[in-house]
Amino acid sequence: VVLPLHPRASACGKVILVGEHAVVHGYPAVAAGLPGGVELTAEALPDPRAPIELRIGEWELDLELTATSEHPVARACLEVLGHCDGPVAGWRIRGRSALPARAGLGSSAALTVALARLALGPGAADADVVEASLAGERVFHGRPSGIDSEVAARGGVLEFARGRSVQAIVLGAPLRLAIVPSGIPRSTADQIARVQAQLARLPVAGAAALSCLGAAVRESRAALEAGDPLRLGALMDLAHGVLGGLGASSAELDRLCARARAAGALGAKLTGAGGGGCIVALLPPDRETALEPAAPGSPAPFTVEVAP
Ligand code: MEV
């Protein structure tokens, strides 16, 4: 039986605070949900056999979901709907997002989680929504760790370890983050492969680097719980350096991090797969710190306040 879609659903974006890439290799990572990830609405088309229409203006997406489409978004969405035993024709889906797409902020996970919720309904368990989302995420990213989908579904600040655990972190103090988009697109799958190649070249030091990122995640969780921004900022700087050594950064991301620190950030690092996308900077709790766009005309930086 093909069930109808629910009228609306939403999901968060995400920002990884510490632990990206290492999380692919079984280490934990901490991430925070970003509000405004994606909001979808669905209405039935007059012709139940007409292809599903998907339009998200902010992401310049205007697609028909057909079995022969080669567009990765169309393929991923059909995978999610198929996984949920949802309809594969006869609906118009409209979306809105406050986040840039393909910038390391979890836009694809937000889309696949919200779509799974359209199919499974508001009462569906997070674990089922995440599993359906992953069917789509694999189309985009190969073998993602699943952290993006978990944060998109649950929001808040989480510690995640692949196949082992997802735990909510209770903050000791509010977090003030600035996200600075580089405006440079990148592919998560390519970035994972780049880090993989570096790990193969450096079997001993590479493994030590991953374990250092794992230790940085444990200390970051303690710093988040204690409300200790100086320690968290230092850990973010450390993580950025280690990720650079593993091949995940770029000259532009290094420049943006250095500039954020010079402007008063307590720490700054690439977030997500790196190579392009965004940096995340930890802002001091007690001082206004304004960050400039990466370059004239590139997307504006924005601030996120995460309350305890
Ligand atoms: C992508 O947001 C984060 C990576 O660790 C990939 C993943 O966890 O699937 C680079």
Side-chain angles (χ1 to χ4, degrees):
V1 187
V2 175
L3 296 171
L5 294 178
H6 290 257
R8 51 177 37 82
S10 60
C12 294
K14 67 97 199 354
V15 57
I16 296 185
L17 296 175
V18 184
E20 51 274 271
H21 286 292
V23 71
V24 174
H25 300 273
Y27 288 91
V30 284
L34 296 177
V38 83
E39 217 171 280
L40 298 180
T41 56
E43 66 178 309
L45 291 168
D47 177 359
R49 285 157 311 173
I52 293 179
E53 298 170 7
L54 172 68
R55 188 179 306 160
I56 304 178
E58 292 85 354
W59 293 347
E60 289 168 11
L61 266 184
D62 190 358
L63 293 173
E64 289 193 342
L65 310 189
T66 57
T68 53
S69 174
E70 288 184 5
H71 197 292
V73 173
R75 284 173 41 226
C77 289
L78 287 174
E79 285 293 330
V80 173
L81 290 169
H83 183 98
C84 300
D85 293 327
V88 290
W91 290 82
R92 173 179 294 130
I93 301 173
R94 292 264 160 81
R96 289 178 358 162
S97 175
L99 297 177
R102 301 188 64 235
L105 300 179
S107 55
S108 68
L111 173 61
T112 52
V113 162
L115 188 63
R117 285 214 173 109
L118 278 186
L120 298 174
D126 287 337
D128 294 336
V129 169
V130 166
E131 212 181 292
S133 155
L134 283 171
E137 285 285 277
R138 283 191 278 271
V139 172
F140 293 116
H141 306 310
R143 258 189 92 241
S145 66
I147 188 169
D148 293 17
S149 301
E150 290 287 357
V151 182
R154 294 171 203 266
V157 183
L158 299 179
E159 179 177 342
F160 168 89
R162 182 180 211 154
R164 292 206 304 276
S165 65
V166 195
Q167 292 167 5
I169 296 178
V170 180
L171 298 180
L175 263 187
R176 285 183 67 220
L177 303 171
I179 292 168
V180 185
S182 68
I184 301 168
R186 84 287 170 277
S187 139
T188 299
D190 291 352
Q191 284 292 110
I192 291 176
R194 220 178 130 83
V195 168
Q196 192 67 54
Q198 188 75 325
L199 290 170
R201 245 176 255 127
L202 310 172
V204 179
L210 291 181
S211 138
C212 174
L213 289 169
V217 168
R218 284 196 299 280
E219 277 203 59
S220 297
R221 177 167 185 171
L224 286 163
E225 288 172 342
D228 184 346
L230 289 179
R231 188 177 181 200
L232 180 62
L235 288 159
M236 289 168 67
D237 287 345
L238 175 74
H240 182 75
V242 174
L243 286 166
L246 290 175
S249 192
S250 70
E252 176 63 357
L253 295 178
D254 292 348
R255 181 184 78 84
L256 293 176
C257 288
R259 209 183 57 164
R261 292 178 199 121
L266 302 176
K269 60 182 280 295
L270 68 84
T271 185
C278 298
I279 66 148
V280 57
L282 181 64
L283 300 182
D286 47 1
R287 196 156 22 98
E288 271 316 304
T289 312
L291 299 182
E292 301 286 316
S298 46
F302 56 97
T303 306
V304 183
E305 306 258 356
V306 190

